[in-house]
Each structure stands twice: as structure tokens, then as C-alpha cells.
Amino acid sequence: MLRWTLFESIRDLALMPIELFTRHFLGLFFLMIGLLYGCRSLGLSQRCGYSHIHYGEPGSATWWHRQSFNLFRAAILGVCLARIPFPIDGWLGMIEPLYQPGILLIGVALQLIAFALISYVQGYLNADWRSGIDQDHPPSLITDGPYGRSRNPIFLAILIGQFGFFLALPSLFSLVCLVVGAGVILRQARAEESALNRLHGSAYEEYRHRVPRWL
């Protein structure tokens, strides 16, 4: 009993600074992602003369995907910022067995890896980057670089980041975000691949058979 109590005391001492770091990291991380995404989209729109973000027709499947994604993204940002000054963890359904220093740090690392991958792929695409299906200014079919290893490298990175968020904040709230977010990403990937198939025909079919959807 004494040995177990000592172990718990050491674990709690290790958890305190990591928990504090993770709490502030999540709030600032999602805030910076929102600013980066918004400013990058605005800059591309002003440079190219058209928007690179496309929701699809109101009421369509892709439109609902975007609305769901935006809703959960706003909820995640709000919760992560609110956790910094306010003790709201009791409302999030924390999964205590996973709330360990090592697991929190793995979650942070996965989110940083996802952020780096997304930034790299978006930089690789340059002006051909799109969010959603662009019918008016369709991008070129990119089949090399990261797209030579995965047909959906950005979506794959987003899934990694969502799993990292769950580990960095193991709770029922982040679990719901993970399940819903993954479902939206999988459905959106299929919708975008169907659109690319219509736009590029046989060239996309050859690419689809050569490169896996994920890895």
C-alpha cells in the first residue's frame, strides 16, 4: 500500500507541469491554426482572385460535412481556450485512466506531426490547394510528392491530429470529436475522389489504381 501511494504521489508530481503545459498548448495551438488557416485562405483569394474554400451547394452532403467540421472546430477551440482560466474539466467527462503524463505528451507530439504534415502538403500544392470541391477553378491533378504515397495526405494528417487531440485531452468530449470528425473526413474523402474522377477521367482512374487512398 505504501509503495502504491508513493507511486501515485510521484505520478501526480510529474503530471502537474505536463498537465499545465498541455492545457496552455491546446488553447494556443488551435487558436494559431485558426489564424493561419484564415489568413492563408484570404491571401490566396486576394492573389488568385477566387476563393480556395468551397462548401458545395447548400444542403448537399459536402455542405453538411463542412458545417459539422466547422461546428466541432469552433467547439474545440472554445473548450481549449476556456480550460486555461476556468476549471471546466469536470464537464468534459475526463477519462482518468488515460490522463497520464506520457499519454498527454504523445497527444501533443501527434498534433505537431499532423500540423507539420498539413503545412508541408499545402505548401507543396501551392495555388492548387483547395478546401472542398472547386467546380469553377478545378486544380491540376497532382500525383507526385506526398500524393505519390497517399491520395489523401491532408485528410490523413487531420485524422492523426484528431487522434492526438483525444490523447492530449482524454475525455468523452474529445472522443465524440474524434468519432464525428473521422466520419466526416472519410465521407468527404469519398466525395472529393468522386469529383476528381469526373474532372480528370482516365488519368484519375490510373492514379487511383496506382496509389492507395491512405497509405
Side-chain angles (χ1 to χ4, degrees):
M1 178 66 70
L2 179 61
R3 182 177 301 177
W4 179 252
T5 303
L6 180 60
F7 170 78
E8 287 186 328
S9 299
I10 295 173
R11 184 198 62 187
D12 291 342
L13 286 174
L15 177 62
M16 288 174 60
I18 293 174
E19 193 274 341
L20 185 63
F21 162 74
T22 305
R23 183 182 297 269
H24 285 78
F25 168 84
L26 288 175
L28 295 175
F29 179 74
F30 285 108
L31 177 61
M32 294 306 296
I33 283 181
L35 291 173
L36 177 64
Y37 180 78
C39 291
R40 188 178 191 278
S41 302
L42 179 62
L44 280 171
S45 176
Q46 291 181 341
R47 175 69 185 273
C48 300
Y50 55 87
S51 176
H52 286 60
I53 301 176
H54 302 275
Y55 282 54
E57 292 295 326
S60 66
T62 55
W63 185 85
W64 281 111
H65 295 166
R66 173 67 65 173
Q67 299 299 330
S68 301
F69 199 79
N70 286 347
L71 175 63
F72 276 88
R73 183 165 56 185
I76 289 171
L77 175 60
V79 165
C80 289
L81 287 176
R83 287 183 74 232
I84 296 176
F86 302 114
I88 65 170
D89 285 5
W91 297 89
L92 303 179
M94 303 302 292
I95 305 175
E96 296 298 336
L98 296 180
Y99 206 74
Q100 307 294 335
I103 293 177
L104 299 185
L105 290 178
I106 290 173
V108 168
L110 288 176
Q111 288 182 298
L112 290 174
I113 290 171
F115 176 75
L117 288 173
I118 292 170
S119 298
Y120 167 72
V121 176
Q122 288 183 345
Y124 190 89
L125 290 174
N126 199 4
D128 281 317
W129 171 76
R130 299 289 190 279
S131 179
I133 301 171
D134 187 353
Q135 302 285 358
D136 299 322
H137 303 90
S140 304
L141 179 62
I142 308 297
T143 62
D144 53 3
Y147 285 86
R149 294 180 288 274
S150 170
R151 300 202 304 269
N152 296 282
I154 290 182
F155 284 162
L156 179 61
I158 292 174
L159 291 173
I160 293 172
Q162 288 180 327
F163 182 62
F165 173 61
F166 169 68
L167 295 182
L169 180 61
S171 62
L172 296 180
F173 168 74
S174 59
L175 181 59
V176 170
C177 292
L178 173 61
V179 172
V180 174
V184 169
I185 289 295
L186 294 176
R187 289 172 59 89
Q188 182 68 16
R190 288 194 292 268
E192 292 192 11
E193 289 196 348
S194 296
L196 287 171
N197 193 36
R198 292 193 299 271
L199 288 170
H200 299 286
S202 60
Y204 185 78
E205 276 296 307
E206 186 277 329
Y207 169 67
R208 188 174 67 84
H209 285 92
R210 178 168 53 86
V211 177
R213 171 174 286 174
W214 302 113
L215 282 176

